[in-house]
Amino acid sequence: MQYDVVIIGSGPGGYVSAIRCAQLGLKTAVIEKYKTFGGTCLNVGCIPSKALLDSSEHYHNAAHTFNTHGINLKDLTVNMPQMIARKDDVVAQNTAGITYLFKKNKIDSFEGLGSFVDKNTIRITKTDGTSETITAKNVVIASGSKPTALPFLPVDKKRIITSTEALNIKEVPKTMIVIGGGVIGLELGSVYARLGTKVSVVEYLPSIIATMDAGLGKELQRVLKKSLGMEFFMGHKVTGATAKGKKVTVSALNAKGEEVNLEADYCIVAVGRTAYTEGLGLENIGIKTEERGHKIPVNAHLETAVQGVYAIGDVITGAMLAHKAEDEGVFVAETIAGQKPHINYNLIPGVVYTWPEVASVGYTEEQLKEKGVKYKAGSFPFKASGRAKASMDTDGFVKVLADEATDEILGVHMIGPRAADMIAEAVVAMEFRASAEDIARICHAHPTYTEAIKEAAMAATANRAIHI
């Protein structure tokens, strides 16, 4: 069968690209090796983790803040099998939604592993070993990523696990070690810490969420320690882990080079993700992946070294984010259709779905200092927000960075309630190259969390925040 576009992978990048291709009148097919659509994000990533984060947050609030609200409960317990079942139902609803969208947009789908015979011919190998081939004028590689493995720390998927297995633990562990203080480790660690697990985070770097503004990591670590009792071992280099019976022992070297041993019921290895390029047959068409992370090199049009073959999402350079993959999926579809799309990678927001949430867009203070850019900084704490006081969510702050000469907003960084949603205001403002003064002059509804953005912008312009 001949197609205008064949997409390998049905994650956020792949399925969004397929839908946009279909909207543009291109005959489109998607190849997915698993039985359900949605890739890592919908099946074992963004969606299921947010479902568990939401459930665990309800339990934590019921256990720790309901009395203050005048809501009295007794005999509060966690029904872990039901919590997992609800998570699975959320996943099923979302994957079924993609099936519906494919039918609606007349997109053909094939189940199996897609691999290149040549640049226009794709072989689809099914689980039973049979195969078929289809041809395409253009191919989009959207095969995503998998958890990074440490060669000295074998994952047994029982006690030493990845984020995938962590989504299906059927009891509340008494203790848990998380290797990695990045987004995935902190989100999953938060889930179990809220349910009563003693969580220890082991991180090689001196700060958690190290790629974000330094102030965010410092505040998040303080809050997670205070509110959830999470323990942090910073500057520790993990050297190994062994599972024996129902216990795991993790060994590490601290900053002084001294050996430290930690024991827990489970150990989650969350040290990042690696591009998934195995079995794609890239060697058959002359595509070589980068040695580090196995990423596929692309040009400004997201086209590989082979004309008509594109790559998007986690398999190419940049942040491994679902919304980045979606934007790239649309970008490639419109490029193939002859349009001139654009992506500003500096304005793709990053979010950590702990509580408080963390969100960031644009340059950090560290980056601006490194570039030698003169800037102004204004911040506003949620403890001074009327809305935050009403909801008992007073941890965190909003920071606005603006160019010293032009007042253009260069970066916005926040940790606090609903930061994941609030960051959109900053992205919109920066897409239109707004100044801090513009945000300061915009009327924000009262009482809302977003007033903190206005106050931080006011603080960045002549230090004139009103409520602090």
Side-chain angles (χ1 to χ4, degrees):
M1 295 180 69
Q2 171 74 29
Y3 291 93
D4 294 316
V5 184
V6 167
I7 297 167
I8 302 174
S10 70
Y15 86 75
V16 168
S17 188
I19 292 170
R20 186 66 184 122
C21 284
Q23 288 176 342
L24 292 166
L26 301 169
K27 186 178 181 183
T28 306
V30 174
I31 303 170
E32 173 54 60
K33 70 173 184 174
Y34 294 115
K35 291 186 178 298
T36 56
F37 299 128
T40 293
C41 177
L42 267 67
N43 289 281
V44 292
C46 316
I47 299 303
S49 64
K50 301 312 162 286
L52 289 181
L53 280 161
D54 195 61
S55 296
S56 62
E57 180 67 10
H58 285 312
Y59 173 81
H60 187 263
N61 283 332
H64 298 279
T65 67
F66 274 21
N67 284 343
T68 306
H69 285 285
I71 304 169
N72 298 321
L73 297 173
K74 67 175 185 176
D75 302 326
L76 189 67
T77 60
V78 176
N79 182 341
M80 204 64 189
Q82 173 56 30
M83 194 175 288
I84 298 296
R86 188 195 84 90
K87 177 264 297 181
D88 291 341
D89 182 57
V90 171
V91 170
Q93 290 179 47
N94 279 275
T95 55
I98 298 178
T99 302
Y100 162 76
L101 289 171
F102 280 1
K103 289 180 180 177
K104 175 188 173 185
N105 289 280
K106 297 180 175 58
I107 297 166
D108 291 343
S109 61
F110 298 86
E111 184 183 329
L113 177 64
S115 61
F116 288 93
V117 176
D118 57 50
K119 78 183 192 76
N120 299 110
T121 308
I122 306 296
R123 177 180 290 111
I124 304 162
T125 305
K126 302 175 183 178
T127 52
D128 62 6
T130 62
S131 65
E132 63 179 310
T133 59
I134 57 176
T135 59
K137 297 175 184 175
N138 301 278
V139 179
V140 181
I141 303 169
S143 49
S145 63
K146 60 182 179 179
T148 298
L150 297 173
F152 56 86
L153 205 161
V155 171
D156 63 15
K157 297 188 178 183
K158 295 176 181 176
R159 291 289 161 176
I160 304 174
I161 61 178
T162 70
S163 56
T164 300
E165 295 79 40
L167 296 168
N168 290 298
I169 299 176
K170 294 294 171 65
E171 79 278 354
V172 179
K174 290 183 179 179
T175 52
M176 176 179 283
I177 297 167
V178 177
I179 299 175
V183 178
I184 296 171
L186 295 177
E187 288 183 358
L188 290 172
S190 291
V191 168
Y192 290 100
R194 290 169 184 170
L195 300 177
T197 303
K198 175 64 179 177
V199 175
S200 301
V201 177
V202 184
E203 170 56 51
Y204 177 72
L205 296 172
S207 63
I208 59 174
I209 52 172
T211 59
M212 302 181 90
D213 192 274
L216 299 178
K218 185 177 180 180
E219 176 70 359
L220 181 60
Q221 184 175 337
R222 183 192 71 80
V223 176
L224 293 178
K225 186 176 180 180
K226 179 194 76 171
S227 63
L228 298 180
M230 290 175 68
E231 194 174 19
F232 292 88
F233 294 85
M234 309 306 298
H236 280 58
K237 180 182 179 180
V238 173
T239 56
T242 55
K244 189 174 182 180
K246 294 185 177 181
K247 291 292 181 181
V248 178
T249 301
V250 173
S251 57
L253 298 176
N254 65 18
K256 297 178 181 178
E258 301 165 335
E259 186 169 333
V260 177
N261 290 300
L262 303 172
E263 187 180 83
D265 298 332
Y266 289 91
C267 171
I268 301 177
V269 181
V271 292
R273 298 182 66 83
T274 302
Y276 192 93
T277 54
E278 297 170 24
L280 293 178
L282 299 180
E283 65 280 1
N284 295 335
I285 58 172
I287 292 179
K288 293 183 179 180
T289 60
E290 296 172 0
E291 188 174 339
R292 182 180 173 86
H294 306 296
K295 301 225 173 186
I296 297 173
V298 292
N299 63 19
H301 302 293
L302 304 186
E303 191 173 30
T304 68
V306 179
Q307 187 176 7
V309 177
Y310 301 82
I312 62 174
D314 288 2
V315 293
I316 67 171
T317 191
M320 290 181 164
L321 300 169
H323 45 284
K324 167 187 172 283
E326 290 181 357
D327 278 10
E328 289 174 339
V330 171
F331 179 97
V332 165
E334 293 177 351
T335 297
I336 291 170
Q339 297 183 9
K340 305 291 182 183
H342 173 72
I343 297 176
N344 184 343
Y345 282 98
N346 187 47
L347 297 188
I348 293 177
V351 178
V352 187
Y353 292 89
T354 48
W355 195 266
E357 293 176 338
V358 184
S360 181
V361 66
Y363 294 110
T364 64
E365 283 202 69
E366 293 73 29
Q367 289 171 329
L368 292 176
K369 288 174 182 175
E370 188 178 330
K371 289 175 175 288
V373 176
K374 293 184 178 180
Y375 67 94
K376 305 174 294 182
S379 63
F380 186 81
F382 280 101
K383 65 182 179 182
S385 160
R387 178 68 179 86
K389 289 175 182 175
S391 65
M392 296 173 60
D393 289 309
T394 55
D395 289 314
F397 60 86
V398 175
K399 180 196 293 184
V400 172
L401 307 175
D403 187 279
E404 188 179 276
T406 67
D407 199 39
E408 180 179 353
I409 299 171
L410 302 175
V412 178
H413 312 279
M414 58 182 75
I415 173 171
R418 299 300 171 204
D421 300 305
M422 289 198 295
I423 198 64
E425 176 180 339
V427 178
V428 169
M430 293 174 69
E431 282 284 7
F432 285 94
R433 301 193 66 176
S435 65
E437 180 74 19
D438 289 329
I439 295 292
R441 294 289 179 183
I442 294 171
C443 185
H444 288 63
H446 174 77
T448 58
Y449 299 127
T450 57
E451 288 175 291
I453 301 176
K454 176 176 180 174
E455 293 272 2
M458 294 168 75
T461 56
N463 193 26
R464 65 182 207 269
I466 300 295
H467 291 92
I468 193 172

